[in-house]
Amino acid sequence: MKSSGRLRLLAASTVCGTAAVLAAVAPTAVAAEPDGKTLVVLGDSFSANAEILDLLDTGGDVGCKHVPTSWPTQLTQRLGLSPDDVEDTSCQGASLDTSGWTLVHQVKRAMSEGAFGPRTRTVTIQLGMNDTWGADNPVGMNHAVTCLIDLAAGCGPEAATQGRTPDPEAITGPAYAGRVRQVVEYLRYYAPNARIVFVGYPEIHTPGQESACAGVLGVDFVQPRAGAITRVLDHLDTAQREAAALLNVNFFDSRAVTAGHGACAPDSWVDGAFDPRTEPLGFPWHPSARGDSAVAAGLQDWIARG
């Protein structure tokens, strides 16, 4: 076996539990190693996006539907890339490592498609919203909707201690970095020329705000006591930034390019539920086509600056 092949196998074996899942598709010395694809997208529904009717469809490829206006699709078009030169494994409900279609599963799928190699230039990761944070409070944001719509009990800071929302204090830069470090090391080895970027979540509420809002059937639904939810989103944004610095990767500030266009804003770029003021069939609390366009344009500029 050539020495380069031995080094590749050694690198993969040092990635502990992650390697156990990824090793099945890792290149070997006897197999032709892929050149890779220019852009690889790893993420949850904020990357894939969806329409509300997709909630009724339980078939398909583990829910990995990508609407034509998602930011990865728009970015592909803006960069003039062929769809064959882009690997998008983002899925609704995906997580870093909590359940379902995790980051490791997405990397494994991308690797099996020959997505990583010397031609790979950009790998995006937009995850964390659907994960549990803190061992004593196993509640993910995807299970906290009942808290948000509870007008009687509210969804203030006490909701986290009551186990109704994730614990914002558990969402830290070191915690986030610890959950993605092994994958980042893996990507660095198999896509040595790629820039890895954590893509932040767009503005849904004004940072620091205690209330939350969503458009429902053309009417603004306001939860005045939503501090538990808004703090989770604020802490996640900070954690992604800090984790990027700790791991020496990049962070793209989606909040900055969507500022002032959160849910229920006069010119909102966040879809409500059957809300004709945005996109009637858009996924609630997710970016509209305009929001995704802003993220795609921002990432295009960031990639161009190189």
Side-chain angles (χ1 to χ4, degrees), residues 1 66 78 83 96 141 163 263 289 303:
M1 183 183 292
H66 305 133
R78 285 176 172 273
L96 289 170
M141 276 287 282
I303 291 171

Side-chain angles (χ1 to χ4, degrees), residues 21-22 89 96 99-110:
V21 179
L22 298 176
T89 63
L96 289 170
S99 61
W101 193 242
T102 66
L103 176 58
V104 167
H105 289 115
Q106 293 190 44
V107 171
K108 179 180 177 182
R109 169 68 63 82

Side-chain angles (χ1 to χ4, degrees), residues 49 59 88 115 213:
N49 219 320
D88 183 356
C213 182

